[in-house]
């Protein structure tokens, strides 16, 4: 059964039908929250997403079979409220794990590259960053990202293009700086 039908059923006297929506999408939504606010905050924020989603069921367009873009939009709003009332955490940076094995050099290089990427992503304008993260991390299509963000699909495509172009330039610059330091 599609998400749209489940939400419709939850509105027509079967509120427990919404539980299946939660079960289908809780891992993806938690991951989205966790990557932006940290794992511990995501645990709390996830509950707020479900409360808001349940309360906003009437606003869901049941013509959409997949509720994920709608849920990402709600999660984004929950994050914004969280960042407004708390110190902004932004995107979490992957932890660097050191171990005694031969691949330590590869891991350190990867960690440096991850920090450079996260720094570049943080420098993007928020509108471009939101689109990029929904498409790249959350594996949404531009059309789904448009639904989640409440903007036109063409706007998503242009913001995505600008974000990717800017990232390429920033990472090339970081690579050039790193090469210069190694000389």
């Amino acid at each position: 059964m599609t998400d749209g039908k489940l939400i419709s059923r939850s509105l027509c006297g079967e509120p427990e039908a919404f539980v299946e929506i939660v079960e289908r999408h809780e891992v993806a939504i938690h991951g989205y929250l966790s990557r932006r606010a940290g794992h511990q905050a995501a645990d709390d924020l996830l509950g707020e997403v479900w409360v808001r989603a349940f309360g906003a069921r009437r606003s869901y367009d049941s013509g959409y079979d997949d509720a994920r873009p709608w849920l990402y939009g709600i999660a984004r709003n929950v994050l914004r409220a969280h960042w407004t009332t708390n110190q902004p955490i932004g995107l979490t940076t992957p932890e660097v794990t050191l171990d005694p094995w031969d691949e330590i050099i590869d891991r350190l290089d990867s960690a440096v590259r991850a920090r450079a990427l996260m720094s570049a992503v943080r420098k993007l304008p928020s509108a471009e960053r939101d689109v990029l993260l929904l498409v790249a991390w959350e594996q949404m299509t531009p059309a789904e990202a448009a639904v989640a963000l409440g903007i036109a699909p063409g706007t998503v495509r242009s913001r995505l293009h600008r974000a990717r172009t800017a990232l390429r330039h920033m990472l090339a610059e970081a690579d050039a700086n790193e090469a210069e330091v190694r000389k």
Side-chain angles (χ1 to χ4, degrees), residues 10-93:
S10 76
L11 287 167
C12 295
E14 295 180 54
E16 66 278 356
F18 197 79
V19 172
E20 191 167 338
I21 298 293
V22 173
E23 290 171 351
R24 286 180 183 181
H25 301 290
E26 66 185 332
V27 171
I29 300 300
H30 186 273
Y32 173 83
L33 296 168
S34 186
R35 286 186 289 275
R36 287 157 179 80
H39 187 75
Q40 197 166 23
D43 291 343
D44 296 331
L45 296 173
L46 184 62
E48 180 63 23
V49 169
W50 296 126
V51 167
R52 288 189 186 189
F54 188 80
R57 293 170 298 156
R58 292 200 188 289
S59 71
Y60 182 75
D61 181 351
S62 60
Y64 290 105
D65 290 342
D66 186 2
R68 195 171 52 122
W70 176 70
L71 293 169
Y72 278 118
I74 293 170
R76 180 174 170 250
N77 291 337
V78 167
L79 279 168
R80 283 187 173 175
H82 171 72
W83 290 332
T84 300
T85 58
N86 298 302
Q87 181 179 353
I89 297 169
L91 304 168
T92 59
T93 304

Side-chain angles (χ1 to χ4, degrees), residues 144-161:
E144 291 171 332
V147 171
L149 297 171
I151 59 177
T155 303
V156 167
R157 287 190 295 277
S158 66
R159 287 180 184 175
L160 183 60
H161 175 74

Side-chain angles (χ1 to χ4, degrees), residues 6 15 18-19 33 37-38 52 56 72 85 96-97 107 112 118 133 154 170 173-175:
L6 285 169
F18 197 79
V19 172
L33 296 168
R52 288 189 186 189
Y72 278 118
T85 58
V96 178
T97 304
R107 288 184 184 214
V112 168
M118 295 308 296
L133 295 177
M170 284 188 267
E173 186 177 302
D175 287 345

